[in-house]
Amino acid sequence: MISSVILAIALGLQATALPARDDPAILRRACPDYVSYSATPHGPYSGGPLKLPFQRPDEACRTFSSPAVEKVIKDITSRLVDKDLAQLFRNAFPNTLDTTIRWHQNGSSKASTRRGSKQDSAQWTGPQTFIVTGDINAEWLRDSTNQLTGYQPLAAQDKRLYSLILGAINTQAEFVIQSPYCNAFQPPSASGIKPATSSQKDTVHPTYDPSFVFECKYELDSLAHFLMLGTEFHENTKSTDFLTERWFKALKTVLRVIDAQSQPTFNTKNQFVRNQYTFQRQTKISTETLALEGVGNPLNSGTGLIRSAFRPSDDATILGFFIPPNAMMAVQLQKTAKVIKTAGGHDDLVSDLQRRGRRLAKAVRDHGIVQHAKYGDVYAFEVDGYGSRILMDDANIPSLLSLPYLGFLDRSDKVYQNTRKMITEKSGNPYYLEGPAFHGIGGPHIGLENAWPMSLLMQALTSDDDAEILESINLVRNSSLFGLVHESINVTNIKDFTRPWFSWANSVFSQTILKVAAERPHLIFGKNAKPYRIE
Ligand SMILES: *[C@@H]1O[C@H](CO)[C@@H](O)[C@H](O)[C@H]1NC(C)=O
Ligand SMILES: *[C@@H]1O[C@H](CO)[C@@H](O)[C@H](O)[C@H]1NC(C)=O
Ligand SMILES: *[C@@H]1O[C@H](CO)[C@@H](O)[C@H](O)[C@H]1NC(C)=O
């Protein structure tokens, strides 16, 4: 607990309109660092068998607040039968707002002139939001989109949440325009927050400004997540406010990258053509750099797939035609077309996006589905267009397990069902990790003894089996000993885990509980309970 005097100072500073640049620094001094706060249990405890701690920061130290979010917390936790699960939801659902909104300006002074005026082309106009991943002071495009997903259904009823998410879209657009190959970004200079330091020695082309970019791993899903942030916002609010000139510029930048990354390694005369993007890091870890002088392994022509140099785990791909983000991009291109069409925009652009989306979806089916001796037709994790394939799944999203969640197919799809069977057992997925204390899908990022709670949550989100859903949720609950959902858990020792403060995982947990509350209330609210839906 921080003293009431310091609290009052912090509160006073929040209430008066000091320049934004002073605010975070002084608040940081008054408030405990959440990296250590999240790794120390605090009361009041859950009252359940696991005695889960209460891990929300003191009100004055929260980075954003929303009455709509508080209401959902009350509604859900008052109905959850399991007190430990209730405590986990109480901590997890607001975690992104409580701890990761490092900068938000609602841009109200400029909003009125944003459209149809000269302001239209100005950078950084309108609301802006900078959201850190958790324990690292940088924003990942993928994480921040997912960190906000749980709040999207509330944006229509809470004006400040609306402004927060609109700001996040605008800020991501600026990131994408300036450095579309990069995955993680520094605080915008207008925020006055000091850039995070990275100790990595990377040689990357195209080059970037390290005061703007935190890390520059090209991950196709980062760009799909930029689109998803907008399409989810539209689906939930019907708003097209984010379709600014800057956003269209970002979209065109995405399409340019997609075109460049659809190029094969050899041209029609069989000559080697160096990819526009190369990445090399001085490291002992092979998944942290790319083979062949930063180019990556060769990829064949004629697949219609888009290369991804890295995975959503930030590990290098082995074969660059990485299937899950291609499926995700196919969906997002088509959803983006729909939004632009609704807004009455640009017929050519709409049909171009639709065509790209349809073609990419077909490419995923044509080249991503392969024959497996035991499981039949399954989706490969990665292919190269020469016939080579990597069969596995990784916990990070987009994954093969998440294909129905991403909207690419229905969970009853036969090939998906075969794939799901393969990746959720040891004999089919080398990264399905089992031990006496924990099990689930992991990945190379943390290693062969750690499974990730996020994979169990995705298993629950894509299942129609009550027993599987409950077992997955309960295993995550059992492993969340510090009252938050962690990154990975040692399969032989549940007390040994990584990243106590990993906001994305908390968002996936909250989404899982809200989905169960709406569709299978009896599982968590007791027999004959009525469904709970955010309206
Ligand atoms: C934006 O912020 C200003 C200043 O803090 C405030 O007066 C205004 O009401 C806010 N607008 C919205 C839509 O939240
Ligand atoms: C969670 O832990 C409880 C005991 O603390 C145990 O009874 C239960 O089987 C565990 N659930 C799962 C899914 O591991
Ligand atoms: C996992 O836990 C076991 C048992 O405590 C330990 O021997 C092993 O080193 C741990 N693995 C990692 C990667 O920390």
Side-chain angles (χ1 to χ4, degrees):
M1 274 296 142
I2 51 181
S3 87
S4 55
V5 176
I6 298 174
L7 251 182
I9 293 169
L11 271 168
L13 287 173
Q14 259 193 340
T16 57
L18 274 180
R21 64 175 65 241
D22 294 342
D23 213 4
I26 294 169
L27 270 178
R28 245 200 322 280
R29 234 185 293 145
C31 295
D33 180 359
Y34 199 71
V35 174
S36 48
Y37 195 88
S38 61
T40 320
H42 300 83
Y45 293 85
S46 61
L50 292 170
K51 302 183 178 62
L52 293 186
F54 177 71
Q55 297 295 66
R56 295 189 71 182
D58 204 291
E59 261 180 60
C61 296
R62 295 176 191 166
T63 56
F64 199 85
S65 66
S66 156
V69 167
E70 298 301 327
K71 180 171 185 304
V72 172
I73 296 170
K74 261 208 197 87
D75 291 348
I76 293 283
T77 56
S78 64
R79 293 187 61 189
L80 277 168
V81 174
D82 182 325
K83 291 196 169 86
D84 290 313
L85 211 52
Q87 185 82 310
L88 196 50
F89 187 85
R90 190 175 288 122
N91 294 329
F93 187 51
N95 188 254
T96 288
L97 297 187
D98 282 354
T99 66
T100 69
I101 310 299
R102 295 304 300 275
W103 179 58
H104 172 62
Q105 63 175 37
N106 70 20
S108 53
S109 59
K110 287 166 183 165
S112 55
T113 55
R114 201 176 71 244
R115 288 158 143 253
S117 79
K118 265 195 173 161
Q119 290 279 347
D120 236 338
S121 56
Q123 303 173 20
W124 300 104
T125 37
Q128 301 290 336
T129 308
F130 180 70
I131 304 170
V132 297
T133 168
D135 50 7
I136 307 166
N137 196 27
E139 171 170 327
W140 266 251
L141 294 178
R142 163 186 50 262
D143 290 45
S144 58
T145 290
N146 287 295
Q147 282 167 263
L148 293 172
T149 292
Y151 310 133
Q152 292 266 18
L154 298 167
Q157 51 167 291
D158 183 329
K159 261 170 50 186
R160 292 184 69 243
L161 267 188
Y162 181 98
S163 166
L164 183 81
I165 300 176
L166 184 57
I169 302 172
N170 291 339
T171 300
Q172 282 203 5
E174 298 298 338
F175 290 154
V176 168
I177 290 167
Q178 185 166 327
S179 292
Y181 280 108
C182 303
N183 58 324
F185 293 85
Q186 299 281 13
S189 65
S191 72
I193 304 170
K194 244 179 56 196
T197 47
S198 167
S199 55
Q200 303 299 350
K201 292 193 177 67
D202 298 343
T203 308
V204 185
H205 292 282
T207 55
Y208 59 85
D209 171 2
S211 73
F212 187 79
V213 166
F214 177 75
E215 183 173 66
C216 198
K217 289 175 170 170
Y218 161 57
E219 298 164 6
L220 177 58
D221 80 277
S222 294
L223 299 175
H225 275 102
F226 162 65
L227 297 181
M228 176 174 145
L229 187 56
T231 59
E232 276 191 340
F233 186 63
H234 176 74
E235 281 162 15
N236 283 284
T237 62
K238 305 278 176 285
S239 170
T240 53
D241 283 356
F242 63 97
L243 299 184
T244 61
E245 201 176 297
R246 297 300 287 173
W247 183 87
F248 278 109
K249 193 173 163 91
L251 173 63
K252 287 196 175 123
T253 307
V254 169
L255 298 182
R256 259 208 323 277
V257 168
I258 287 178
D259 288 339
Q261 295 307 314
S262 301
Q263 300 305 312
T265 305
F266 302 95
N267 66 16
T268 49
K269 294 180 196 139
N270 295 329
Q271 292 159 327
F272 168 60
V273 182
R274 183 175 291 276
N275 194 293
Q276 193 176 93
Y277 173 85
T278 59
F279 180 103
Q280 285 180 289
R281 172 170 292 179
Q282 281 183 31
T283 175
K284 289 187 289 189
I285 307 166
S286 69
T287 47
E288 290 291 327
T289 190
L290 297 178
L292 292 161
E293 298 184 313
V295 170
N297 291 318
L299 297 170
N300 209 348
S301 62
T303 62
L305 292 166
I306 307 162
R307 173 201 182 213
S308 189
F310 288 86
R311 299 172 180 169
S313 58
D314 299 333
D315 299 329
T317 54
I318 300 169
L319 307 176
F321 291 144
F322 175 32
I323 295 302
N326 274 276
M328 182 182 185
M329 183 55 93
V331 171
Q332 288 305 323
L333 287 169
Q334 290 174 87
K335 288 191 174 200
T336 300
K338 212 187 252 174
V339 179
I340 296 172
K341 194 173 174 184
T342 306
H346 321 283
D347 279 350
D348 291 352
L349 180 59
V350 170
S351 48
D352 179 42
L353 292 170
Q354 283 167 338
R355 199 168 42 240
R356 285 170 178 271
R358 274 197 309 268
R359 272 204 216 134
L360 188 54
K362 183 170 185 304
V364 166
R365 289 188 297 269
D366 288 350
H367 301 276
I369 299 176
V370 300
Q371 172 67 39
H372 189 291
K374 176 173 173 192
Y375 299 95
D377 281 346
V378 295
Y379 280 98
F381 194 58
E382 295 172 354
V383 300
D384 65 357
Y386 289 101
S388 290
R389 78 275 300 262
I390 302 293
L391 299 180
M392 60 170 273
D393 203 22
D394 184 290
N396 287 269
I397 307 161
S399 57
L400 291 177
L401 187 60
S402 68
L403 288 176
Y405 170 86
L406 301 172
F408 183 73
L409 43 68
D410 191 87
R411 70 178 170 210
S412 64
D413 181 284
K414 183 76 177 90
V415 180
Y416 174 71
Q417 283 302 323
N418 293 345
T419 307
R420 202 173 193 282
K421 186 156 186 356
M422 171 179 80
I423 60 185
T424 53
E425 59 187 37
K426 188 71 201 166
S427 64
N429 178 6
Y431 291 98
Y432 188 82
L433 306 171
E434 283 178 305
F438 196 71
H439 58 259
I441 299 172
H445 195 69
I446 302 295
L448 300 173
E449 287 177 287
N450 286 53
W452 292 45
M454 199 148 65
S455 76
L456 291 160
L457 297 168
M458 188 46 66
Q459 200 172 339
L461 282 166
T462 55
S463 172
D464 62 357
D465 173 4
D466 278 2
E468 183 182 20
I469 293 170
L470 209 51
E471 149 96 17
S472 302
I473 290 174
N474 286 343
L475 193 50
V476 171
R477 175 202 62 197
N478 283 9
S479 73
S480 301
L481 294 177
F482 283 64
L484 293 159
V485 182
H486 308 310
E487 181 192 48
S488 77
I489 311 285
N490 184 327
V491 295
T492 57
N493 177 10
I494 215 156
K495 293 191 174 135
D496 177 16
F497 59 83
T498 62
R499 293 189 77 183
W501 180 23
F502 178 41
S503 227
W504 176 15
N506 290 290
S507 172
V508 181
F509 171 79
S510 309
Q511 290 171 53
T512 309
I513 295 298
L514 288 170
K515 187 173 197 295
V516 174
E519 295 173 8
R520 297 164 192 267
H522 59 279
L523 288 184
I524 52 174
F525 294 153
K527 233 170 120 187
N528 301 324
K530 286 212 185 70
Y532 176 85
R533 284 195 184 83
I534 293 176
E535 243 103 52

